Amino acid sequence: MKPISLKKSLQWIAASAALFAYPLAHAQWAYNNAYWHDELWSAETTQSTWMQTVADHVPLLRMSIPGTHDSASVGYGGDIAQTQSMSITKQLVGGVRYLDFRCDLVDGRLQLHHGFVGLEKTCDSGLADVAAFLKKHPSEAVLIKIQQEYSTASNPDFQKAFDKMIAPLSGAIWQGYTQTSSPTLGDVRGKIVFIKRFNEVVPNGLNYSSFAVVDNYNMTTNWDLYSHWETVKSALSDVTQGKMPEATIINIVGSGGSFPYFVSGGRSSPHGGHLVTGLTTPGWSHSYPDFPRDSCFIGICSIYFKGLNELTAEYLEKNKPSHVGIIVADFPGKPLVDAIIERNARTWRYNDTASAGEVFVYQNPYLKTTDYFAARKSGAYWYFPTDHRDNGDWIFLGHDFPTQSTARSWVPDGYAQVGDLYEYRNPYSHTIDYFKSRRAGYYAQERLWFPINQKSNAYWEYVGSKVLN
């Protein structure tokens, strides 16, 4: 019998130990909630109107936009087919602004599908959900990719059904594609913008072929996940460095030999813990460097899988790129959606100009904080203040991406001038409350908290609220 090498013996022992280990509880790591398999986040964390902080002149395809893959696949077909846990409306409320509609032509009507799995919802009912959301939130715009799925219809027949479907919603659909293929956000606010992946010779929106698409979705086994992540990470870097077009779609999804919930979350089941890879440290310290090490015993740690949603959210928060295009995910959670949205804040550039109210982000090296500022005026600007104060060019907004470009958030070391507008995500009433400061000073030092009852007090003047939805 051929002797077994020491290296192979150690590999076998490590793999066996890891496979019999319990999956790690998913509450223990940062960015775990970037994968979210529940119906909706709490009301005070929703992102219904985040686009209102972005200036009208910003090109739509220069924005960083969170999206969902197979957007209507909410459970039909089981775990192998399910890619989302929230309805179309709830995805939009959560901040998603790119949807993936895949339609089969059945008896003259377009039905939503995921492969051969019918999703028990028509494409026109999905569009009606989007139109209703936009009517309620006119500051927003929603891109919808339309393609044939499990369909044998000819392009002309599919086009005819598509035209019939969108006719009743013409007022909610961007029609400017005959003038430009590069609309600004101001051009499309309150509108559906179609991205067609069929019959592109007939204009009804933007063409899918005009986008650079990263879609390395094929997986044979779970162990393909890391190479898939390396493709995504490289694409994120290339977009940031200008090596790819601004109009880029990055799909952080996978299918084939793995369940969608595993690719997105690295989990053993939709609500389970993270799976182990079968490798341990120190023996395989150089393997899967972005995957976590945990469950250590006598110096030996298991290497765990981590899902693409978690890895992408962590990458965006740590590297803070200025632009990442459209990122399309399965089961996206708030940390991922917010990390994408926050990329829409501009960064300081020498000899550049701003529009009044535009939001900028500054990684403050002196106070080790992430600071958001609004441009006080249009035109050329100078440096950001480093002390969380305003100056002639900038209004300090706080440390979180704002809901309104003119509204500040409460910060521990904050200073207010008389009349400054603040916003408060009220967890008691599930509203965003707006207050104006009545006097100048370091409000935090005086413990001048916002009222929770939507009333004025000696320091804050209550000026209104909007319901979180």
Side-chain angles (χ1 to χ4, degrees):
M1 179 184 292
K2 185 178 179 180
I4 300 174
S5 70
L6 177 60
K7 181 178 180 180
K8 287 190 178 294
S9 298
L10 290 173
Q11 286 177 333
W12 183 86
I13 292 169
S16 299
L19 289 172
F20 284 102
Y22 290 106
L24 192 69
H26 53 73
Q28 294 181 241
W29 296 333
Y31 305 103
N32 282 336
N33 287 342
Y35 160 82
W36 193 256
H37 208 293
D38 293 314
E39 188 178 358
L40 188 63
W41 312 297
S42 57
E44 63 269 18
T45 63
T46 60
Q47 288 278 23
S48 294
T49 55
W50 67 264
M51 281 183 164
Q52 70 180 359
T53 67
V54 182
D56 278 348
H57 67 80
V58 175
L60 179 66
L61 302 183
R62 179 64 181 80
M63 293 177 62
S64 298
I65 295 176
T68 53
H69 159 249
D70 267 304
S71 302
S73 186
V74 293
Y76 300 101
D79 288 339
I80 195 64
Q82 183 178 2
T83 58
Q84 307 302 329
S85 55
M86 291 185 255
S87 69
I88 297 297
T89 298
K90 290 178 179 178
Q91 290 174 39
L92 296 172
V93 167
V96 168
R97 295 294 178 268
Y98 169 98
L99 299 171
D100 176 18
F101 281 13
R102 301 172 180 225
C103 306
D104 181 20
L105 182 57
V106 180
D107 297 328
R109 196 172 187 187
L110 298 179
Q111 307 282 341
L112 285 162
H113 263 251
H114 180 182
F116 64 86
V117 179
L119 301 180
E120 306 297 321
K121 188 176 180 69
T122 60
C123 290
D124 57 341
S125 66
L127 292 180
D129 293 341
V130 178
F133 172 83
L134 289 171
K135 185 175 182 179
K136 193 174 182 180
H137 305 96
S139 63
E140 309 305 288
V142 178
L143 296 90
I144 303 180
K145 185 194 76 172
I146 298 276
Q147 72 179 63
Q148 291 204 56
E149 185 93 344
Y150 199 63
S151 174
T152 58
S154 66
N155 263 331
D157 286 346
F158 194 90
Q159 181 73 50
K160 183 179 179 180
F162 176 75
D163 291 339
K164 181 180 179 181
M165 175 180 69
I166 67 175
L169 296 173
S170 58
I173 295 170
W174 176 63
Q175 306 284 358
Y177 46 81
T178 56
Q179 286 80 43
T180 179
S181 60
S182 183
T184 66
L185 178 58
D187 293 332
V188 300
R189 287 195 195 274
K191 303 293 184 182
I192 294 168
V193 179
F194 286 117
I195 301 175
K196 288 182 61 183
R197 200 179 179 183
F198 72 94
N199 208 24
E200 294 190 359
V201 296
V202 177
N204 282 106
L206 306 176
N207 287 338
Y208 188 74
S209 61
S210 65
F211 288 78
V213 180
V214 178
D215 195 13
N216 182 30
Y217 66 89
N218 243 346
M219 293 181 60
T220 304
T221 71
N222 288 351
W223 283 264
D224 293 333
L225 184 60
Y226 198 85
S227 63
H228 193 4
W229 161 237
E230 288 181 316
T231 299
V232 169
K233 182 165 63 170
S234 176
L236 292 170
S237 176
D238 286 348
V239 172
T240 302
Q241 296 177 46
K243 296 179 181 179
M244 294 182 69
E246 291 179 346
T248 294
I249 298 172
I250 300 176
N251 290 286
I252 58 170
V253 300
S255 62
S258 300
F259 288 106
Y261 65 75
F262 170 80
V263 179
S264 299
R267 310 303 168 89
S268 59
S269 66
H271 293 91
H274 290 77
L275 282 171
V276 289
T277 64
L279 300 183
T280 59
T281 64
W284 288 269
S285 296
H286 299 294
S287 297
Y288 309 143
D290 293 339
F291 281 176
R293 280 77 168 129
D294 214 314
S295 302
C296 302
F297 178 68
I298 58 170
I300 299 175
C301 301
S302 293
I303 301 176
Y304 283 82
F305 287 106
K306 202 169 191 182
L308 295 182
N309 290 13
E310 302 161 300
L311 292 164
T312 302
E314 184 173 19
Y315 176 92
L316 296 180
E317 287 292 349
K318 287 185 176 179
N319 293 281
K320 300 192 182 297
S322 59
H323 172 65
V324 292
I326 300 168
I327 295 182
V328 183
D330 293 336
F331 308 110
K334 180 175 172 56
L336 175 61
V337 172
D338 285 358
I340 299 168
I341 290 172
E342 289 165 7
R343 307 282 69 77
N344 290 291
R346 288 183 58 188
T347 54
W348 192 96
R349 292 184 180 180
Y350 179 73
N351 203 27
D352 202 357
T353 59
S355 296
E358 272 195 286
V359 176
F360 285 68
V361 63
Y362 172 48
Q363 303 306 319
N364 191 325
Y366 306 98
L367 300 178
K368 310 298 183 186
T369 54
T370 298
D371 301 340
Y372 287 89
F373 293 90
R376 189 182 288 278
K377 57 191 178 183
S378 297
Y381 54 76
W382 201 231
Y383 294 114
F384 296 124
T386 62
D387 58 356
H388 297 165
R389 300 282 295 269
D390 301 342
N391 66 14
D393 290 319
W394 303 108
I395 301 169
F396 175 62
L397 300 177
H399 305 312
D400 298 305
F401 189 83
T403 301
Q404 286 191 16
S405 62
T406 56
R408 307 162 184 258
S409 57
W410 196 97
V411 294
D413 52 355
Y415 182 90
Q417 300 281 3
V418 175
D420 284 349
L421 179 67
Y422 284 76
E423 67 180 25
Y424 169 49
R425 289 179 175 262
N426 191 325
Y428 307 98
S429 59
H430 300 301
T431 56
I432 296 179
D433 300 338
Y434 291 98
F435 296 91
K436 284 186 177 179
S437 55
R438 291 185 181 273
R439 55 191 175 91
Y442 286 95
Y443 53 81
Q445 293 178 4
E446 303 176 56
R447 304 189 68 78
L448 299 169
W449 313 105
F450 292 128
I452 63 172
N453 58 358
Q454 298 174 333
K455 293 184 177 181
S456 301
N457 64 16
Y459 196 89
W460 302 109
E461 177 189 354
Y462 173 68
V463 295
S465 298
K466 63 182 180 182
V467 177
L468 284 161
N469 56 14

